[in-house]
Amino acid sequence: MKSCLVVDDSKVIRKVARHILEGLDFTVAEAADGREALESCIASPPDVILLDWNMPVMSGMDFLRALRETPLGSRPKVVFCTTENGMAHIRAAIEAGADEYVMNPHFPSKALISLS
């Protein structure tokens, strides 16, 4: 079974991503920031990482750079999934080692509350 680490400071986003991924037969782990995600990857590298850009403690970009410098048994695919949609952000992510970049829709807070 394929594994995915969902890295996002939003509990709601992690919950939605988990629901979708488990429906696709992924084993899912979660991390609320980049530091937590890096520790998780060192302990057990996932096949895929869904990564947010803006997080406390360690941003998605800082995590990605640290991950790509860390010797792991396998190289996880990293997919940025964020509301940051400028070409400069996309270019920086790809240059830092992201495999894909998906723009998250920005939901109004009322829509997110109904998902909790």
Side-chain angles (χ1 to χ4, degrees):
M1 187 179 281
K2 295 285 185 179
S3 60
C4 183
L5 175 63
V6 179
V7 187
D8 199 300
D9 58 326
S10 167
K11 185 176 181 177
V12 172
I13 297 295
R14 292 193 315 265
K15 182 178 177 179
V16 170
R18 173 182 285 279
H19 177 74
I20 292 167
L21 291 162
E22 287 178 343
L24 296 170
D25 292 327
F26 277 84
T27 302
V28 180
E30 299 178 20
D33 62 62
R35 182 175 298 146
E36 199 177 299
L38 190 58
E39 291 170 1
S40 178
C41 288
I42 290 168
S44 179
D47 297 302
V48 180
I49 299 169
L50 289 184
L51 181 61
D52 186 27
W53 190 288
N54 297 306
M55 294 178 291
V57 184
M58 180 187 274
S59 73
M61 280 297 290
D62 291 340
F63 162 76
L64 180 58
R65 288 183 188 111
L67 177 72
R68 293 305 188 217
E69 292 174 1
T70 302
L72 300 174
S74 61
R75 184 180 190 267
K77 297 284 184 188
V78 176
V79 179
F80 259 105
C81 190
T82 181
T83 57
E84 297 294 344
N85 60 8
M87 284 305 297
H89 283 94
I90 296 168
R91 188 176 303 113
I94 299 300
E95 288 173 359
D99 296 289
E100 297 290 337
Y101 197 100
V102 177
M103 282 161 257
N104 242 2
H106 183 69
F107 296 111
S109 57
K110 286 184 182 178
L112 292 176
I113 290 168
S114 68
L115 292 172
S116 335

